[in-house]
Amino acid sequence: MKSSYKERIARRLTLVTALIFFLVFLLIYLVASYTVVLSIDHELQLEIVEHQEEFFIDEREVRFLHQGEWEEMEHAQIHLNPIFIEVVDLEGNSLDRSPNLEENHLVFSFSKSRSQKAWQTKIGSLEVRQRQVPLFTSGKQVGYLLLAKSFADARELLNNLRSVLLLIYPLILVTLYFSMRYLAGKSIEPLEVISQKTNQITQQNLNERIPDSGTNDEIGQLTKAINNLLGRLEQAIQREKQFTSDASHELRTPLSVLRGTLEVLIRKPRTTEEYGLKIKAVLASIDQMSAIIDQLLALARVENGQNLVKEELELIAFSEEFVDKIATEKGYKIQFQSEVGIPIYVRTHEKSLEMILHNLVENGFKYGSEDGVVFFRVGRSEKATIEIIDSGRGIDSVHLEQIFDPFFRVQEAVDLGIPGTGLGLAIVKKLAQESGISLSVTSEKGKGSSFRLDFNEAS
Ligand code: ADP
């Protein structure tokens, strides 16, 4: 079974904390034992300073500066923190020892005689720390003084400390695991609400949104991001619906005209002239439908043709060629202008650029002035540009954005009977997006319009 997110978080945090606590506890134990040993070694040093001068050896006999030393309470009884003393000759043979050693001896070691450092050893079953220092009589080394101090108290203290640390270690970890699990659960609660609500949203209730927590933390940002996504989805679906309904409406109109004309035509016999007129009307409706279908297919092709391959193209030569071609084919009067004397290389999709220019020049003439001249200007300011300028009827500023929506036509154009489907600029906008060209328009009602294309120059 897969563990839940909160369990995984709790487990990982507990694991990290377990490691940290282990190291901290180990450090506490090591520092404590080091301090205890240090303090005993310090006491041993004090005892050595106190006793080293009190002994001297004469003819293998231990003599004392102060008689009765051995009988001193401290060395005669095994009390709480006793000092054990033994005097040995240069070979390590015991010469005398404190009574509290009873039948036991302190361990003599040749190797320790040089380092003079304390070490851990045992007297019978008692753990002690011992030191060994040389004894001198009249400036000559005559033996060794062995001193030991009980380690029992220190050992008990260290054992107690270890037991306490070992006991609280699992306790801390268990408490930590459950607290982390609880806290992690609490902090992902808002995510559960988000996922529940998101699961409830379908195409039918796409207008609903995830309740905003009102904070700007990560959860708040996630909520906003999902709500924005839902908003964009809703708009896209709305646009799609609008597009389908507009497309059917645009096709239904010429179809109704077609049907109406034919129905009238078959009601009674007509003269050849009347037939001719009606058939012309029928053909016009068919032309209108076929123009719409062609444009719809073109739009669908642009939408499906993602990642158009962009190639390097010389803008001035390409534009001249294009203007010559369309002027010859359609008999348009186009005034070509180029302020730039040197070639301009841009990266774009050639066929798309041709379609864009074709649509814009056609519109320039459709909605242009009586004299029928359109300016085609190639230039270079910050970027390489093409401007298609007409001095026609212009576009009202309220329509400047709408003209790029599919099927949108300014009512005036419809009323004047200017042929069109309202799809041309939607196709231009899509093609420009796909080809990396930025498209903008400026227009003044009654004065004319200018459509401008900005290109990324090839490096
Ligand atoms: P269509 O030309 O088939 O109607 P478009 O998408 O090309 O469709 O244009 C949308 C609308 O924008 C046109 O109906 C027209 O009202 C307006 N328009 C486009 N180009 C121009 C222009 N150069 N001058 C004035 N109006 C224009």
Side-chain angles (χ1 to χ4, degrees):
M1 202 183 76
K2 268 188 111 178
S3 57
S4 70
Y5 182 66
K6 62 179 179 184
E7 267 160 16
R8 283 209 307 277
I9 284 199
R11 255 208 318 268
R12 281 175 201 168
L13 285 175
T14 312
L15 215 72
V16 175
T17 323
L19 196 72
I20 294 171
F21 266 91
F22 176 77
L23 292 176
V24 170
F25 282 7
L26 190 70
L27 196 72
I28 291 175
Y29 184 79
L30 290 178
V31 169
S33 73
Y34 176 76
T35 315
V36 165
V37 167
L38 206 70
S39 122
I40 293 181
D41 287 0
H42 180 66
E43 283 174 31
L44 271 176
Q45 177 61 30
L46 290 179
E47 293 287 341
I48 284 170
V49 172
E50 192 182 324
H51 294 298
Q52 205 169 15
E53 301 302 321
E54 288 180 348
F55 298 96
F56 64 95
I57 299 171
D58 183 26
E59 300 280 319
R60 296 187 59 81
E61 280 285 323
V62 180
R63 309 257 182 253
F64 304 98
L65 279 180
H66 308 286
Q67 278 300 333
E69 178 70 16
W70 277 159
E71 283 73 36
E72 203 184 287
M73 279 295 281
E74 187 186 355
H75 309 303
Q77 287 177 3
I78 296 185
H79 60 73
L80 215 59
N81 211 2
I83 284 282
F84 303 95
I85 303 176
E86 185 159 358
V87 180
V88 295
D89 62 13
L90 287 170
E91 276 73 46
N93 302 314
S94 177
L95 300 176
D96 208 348
R97 59 203 155 114
S98 57
N100 59 4
L101 275 170
E102 295 173 352
E103 73 279 4
N104 298 310
H105 285 274
L106 293 180
V107 184
F108 171 75
S109 160
F110 278 108
S111 57
K112 306 281 184 201
S113 53
R114 246 165 286 125
S115 71
Q116 293 202 12
K117 276 194 181 146
W119 76 96
Q120 215 108 334
T121 178
K122 282 199 157 184
I123 302 172
S125 61
L126 184 72
E127 197 178 359
V128 293
R129 255 187 105 68
Q130 185 182 317
R131 269 192 72 180
Q132 179 175 308
V133 288
L135 268 182
F136 296 92
T137 302
S138 318
K140 192 170 158 249
Q141 189 181 346
V142 285
Y144 292 95
L145 174 66
L146 313 181
L147 269 122
K149 200 166 170 58
S150 167
F151 198 73
D153 286 352
R155 178 61 63 208
E156 196 183 339
L157 181 107
L158 290 176
N159 284 350
N160 284 346
L161 178 66
R162 195 182 53 195
S163 308
V164 169
L165 294 181
L166 285 178
L167 186 78
I168 60 171
Y169 186 64
L171 273 179
I172 287 178
L173 293 189
V174 170
T175 320
L176 207 73
Y177 174 76
F178 285 106
S179 322
M180 301 257 188
R181 203 166 163 269
Y182 174 75
L183 287 176
K186 272 268 161 232
S187 27
I188 59 166
E189 248 171 34
L191 288 180
E192 281 164 5
V193 174
I194 292 176
S195 105
Q196 239 172 30
K197 186 68 196 169
T198 316
N199 280 336
Q200 284 165 5
I201 295 176
T202 63
Q203 204 171 334
Q204 273 66 46
N205 59 347
L206 205 58
N207 57 333
E208 287 186 24
R209 295 289 176 270
I210 295 159
D212 199 342
S213 59
T215 55
N216 200 27
D217 55 12
E218 288 82 349
I219 302 283
Q221 283 169 14
L222 178 69
T223 311
K224 278 193 195 91
I226 295 178
N227 281 341
N228 287 343
L229 175 72
L230 286 172
R232 288 199 298 278
L233 259 178
E234 193 187 359
Q235 273 176 15
I237 289 180
Q238 194 54 44
R239 269 204 304 275
E240 203 72 17
K241 276 187 188 156
Q242 187 64 44
F243 182 81
T244 317
S245 111
D246 287 348
S248 351
H249 174 78
E250 291 299 318
L251 284 171
R252 199 174 292 127
T253 314
L255 257 180
S256 311
V257 174
L258 195 69
R259 188 185 174 90
T261 316
L262 291 175
E263 272 175 358
V264 170
L265 209 59
I266 56 161
R267 255 186 228 146
K268 57 176 185 182
R270 313 270 171 177
T271 63
T272 322
E273 225 172 57
E274 278 176 320
Y275 274 126
L277 275 174
K278 294 291 176 196
I279 287 171
K280 264 190 190 154
V282 165
L283 284 175
S285 296
I286 291 175
D287 282 349
Q288 169 75 354
M289 281 193 295
S290 115
I292 292 174
I293 290 167
D294 282 350
Q295 298 273 54
L296 280 176
L297 282 175
L299 195 60
R301 265 199 298 273
V302 182
E303 277 170 358
N304 290 336
Q306 284 155 357
N307 290 333
L308 295 178
V309 184
K310 299 179 193 78
E311 284 156 5
E312 200 172 291
L313 174 149
E314 203 286 295
L315 209 56
I316 299 176
F318 173 84
S319 300
E320 275 175 336
E321 206 177 303
F322 170 80
V323 168
D324 280 351
K325 194 170 142 212
I326 196 163
T328 323
E329 273 175 16
K330 306 255 177 167
Y332 290 155
K333 275 193 257 165
I334 304 175
Q335 203 132 74
F336 181 81
Q337 300 175 331
S338 172
E339 312 140 5
V340 191
I342 49 165
I344 307 172
Y345 291 97
V346 296
R347 283 197 80 79
T348 190
H349 185 249
E350 190 177 330
K351 279 271 163 274
S352 302
L353 178 59
E354 204 175 312
M355 256 175 104
I356 292 171
L357 294 175
H358 199 280
N359 270 298
L360 294 179
V361 170
E362 286 254 297
N363 278 355
F365 283 101
K366 266 203 299 188
Y367 306 105
S369 63
E370 299 294 306
D371 61 15
V373 181
V374 165
F375 290 91
F376 193 112
R377 192 176 289 160
V378 185
R380 185 199 245 154
S381 43
E382 273 171 31
K383 284 186 163 191
T385 56
I386 290 182
E387 280 174 286
I388 291 160
I389 306 157
D390 67 66
S391 45
R393 60 192 72 254
I395 306 160
D396 204 319
S397 58
V398 288
H399 298 314
L400 274 183
E401 279 193 18
Q402 289 169 296
I403 54 171
F404 297 101
D405 292 344
F407 298 110
F408 178 83
R409 301 199 73 206
V410 175
Q411 194 52 44
E412 189 190 350
V414 181
D415 294 344
L416 286 168
I418 301 173
T421 59
L423 286 169
L425 286 181
I427 295 173
V428 166
K429 187 180 166 188
K430 272 263 165 248
L431 281 171
Q433 269 169 7
E434 300 295 325
S435 323
I437 302 169
S438 74
L439 169 70
S440 55
V441 57
T442 48
S443 185
E444 203 175 323
K445 190 85 189 101
K447 290 217 167 143
S449 316
S450 163
F451 285 82
R452 174 179 160 144
L453 306 175
D454 286 284
F455 297 85
N456 289 325
E457 287 194 43
S459 46

